[in-house]
Amino acid sequence: MDIDDILAEVDSHIVPQETRDLQELTRLWVTERSAPEILQWPETLMERIMDRIRQQIELVEMQTGNMDPKTNFRLIIIQTELERFKFLVRSFLRARIAKIDKHALYILTTHTQTSRLSSSELQYLTTHQSLLQAHYLSSFLSQFPPSLQRLDDTAGGISMIEQPDLEKAVFVRGLRDVAGPIVVEGTDTEFEMKRGDVNLAPQDGSVELPTLVVSWPGSIREFAMIDRKQLDPD
């Protein structure tokens, strides 16, 4: 049994908030590392997690030096849990920063992409791109004609802006039985999905799957929904 099974079978009101946050962070971490494009920044979740990390660090600092064996054992448990959260947060942020570095111009010039960034990430993106452009200009671009100095040139129908591969295939695992066949848009291909089945599907959303019964380890967009009028894609 993994995180998706727990989230699918256990009542969220029974599971403590800290456990639910850890499950959600782990899922977001896996999804972010698998998806070719940067995903929405989970602001509310990250605020709760960072507050909890700060509180645990303060508790460890206050209790350090206590000679009580029970207190020391409790501190070991707290520190172990703290390191687990810190690892997930660091790895999650590194995955997002790697995408920002690789697709900086694309994210900066695409509103749907910049809207997914946190305020710190947006500041990092603009500063990073400004420094990079200044470095290129002082190193070699200044030797070119002004018409060839643009990093976002699209002359000749060829764009210099590197974009993520949205046609990348991702793995999809069913959390519930899907009623009826699933059709791949533009083809005659169709398949059924039962709980626990794993299939490959394109990232671009050409396979319409109900979000309530499918887990996206690699993010097939947010708009694969049962009913677009009833479910909010965010």
Side-chain angles (χ1 to χ4, degrees):
M1 178 176 290
D2 59 16
I3 293 173
D4 292 328
D5 294 322
I6 295 174
L7 294 178
E9 295 180 355
V10 178
D11 188 345
S12 61
H13 297 290
I14 300 176
V15 181
Q17 182 65 53
E18 181 176 350
T19 303
R20 297 203 303 272
D21 287 347
L22 178 61
Q23 292 170 354
E24 186 176 354
L25 176 61
T26 305
R27 175 179 285 181
L28 289 173
W29 169 60
V30 173
T31 305
E32 191 68 61
R33 286 168 58 90
S34 303
E37 60 182 345
I38 198 163
L39 304 179
Q40 183 64 47
W41 171 255
E43 183 172 359
T44 304
L45 173 66
M46 294 306 296
E47 287 179 354
R48 288 200 306 268
I49 289 177
M50 296 308 296
D51 286 341
R52 187 173 296 115
I53 289 177
R54 283 191 289 268
Q55 292 172 6
Q56 290 183 333
I57 291 176
E58 292 175 358
L59 178 61
V60 170
E61 290 176 348
M62 287 190 299
Q63 295 295 330
T64 299
N66 194 320
M67 302 303 295
D68 184 4
K70 292 183 178 180
T71 302
N72 289 337
F73 181 71
R74 181 168 176 264
L75 283 180
I76 292 174
I77 296 176
I78 294 175
Q79 287 176 319
T80 302
E81 183 72 4
L82 178 61
E83 289 303 317
R84 178 164 62 164
F85 271 101
K86 288 167 63 178
F87 168 79
L88 289 173
V89 170
R90 284 196 299 263
S91 185
F92 177 67
L93 293 177
R94 285 171 180 166
R96 294 179 63 86
I97 290 174
K99 294 178 184 179
I100 293 174
D101 290 342
K102 186 175 182 179
H103 307 295
L105 271 177
Y106 171 73
I107 297 175
L108 195 59
T109 56
T110 308
H111 175 69
T112 56
Q113 295 288 306
T114 53
S115 63
R116 298 178 180 180
L117 303 180
S118 67
S119 57
S120 298
E121 289 174 333
L122 184 57
Q123 181 180 4
Y124 170 81
L125 170 62
T126 53
T127 304
H128 170 271
Q129 189 58 32
S130 176
L131 291 173
L132 190 63
Q133 186 162 356
H135 171 67
Y136 287 162
L137 188 63
S138 62
S139 298
F140 58 89
L141 282 181
S142 59
Q143 308 300 321
F144 295 170
S147 60
L148 299 178
Q149 293 181 7
R150 292 177 59 89
L151 297 179
D152 58 351
D153 188 20
T154 58
I158 301 177
S159 176
M160 292 181 60
I161 301 177
E162 184 179 2
Q163 301 183 17
D165 182 11
L166 299 183
E167 296 182 358
K168 176 182 178 182
V170 293
F171 287 98
V172 182
R173 188 172 71 85
L175 299 180
R176 295 280 189 275
D177 292 347
V178 179
I182 299 170
V183 180
V184 181
E185 183 180 342
T187 70
D188 296 329
T189 304
E190 62 179 43
F191 60 93
E192 294 183 354
M193 177 171 284
K194 303 296 182 182
R195 182 181 181 278
D197 288 351
V198 178
N199 289 281
L200 273 174
Q203 159 78 15
D204 60 6
S206 60
V207 178
E208 291 291 330
L209 293 168
T211 53
L212 297 184
V213 295
V214 177
S215 166
W216 311 116
S219 165
I220 293 187
R221 307 273 182 144
E222 292 83 354
F223 16 87
M225 299 173 286
I226 295 177
D227 187 339
R228 299 191 183 190
K229 295 181 180 179
Q230 296 179 2
L231 297 182
D232 188 289
D234 297 326

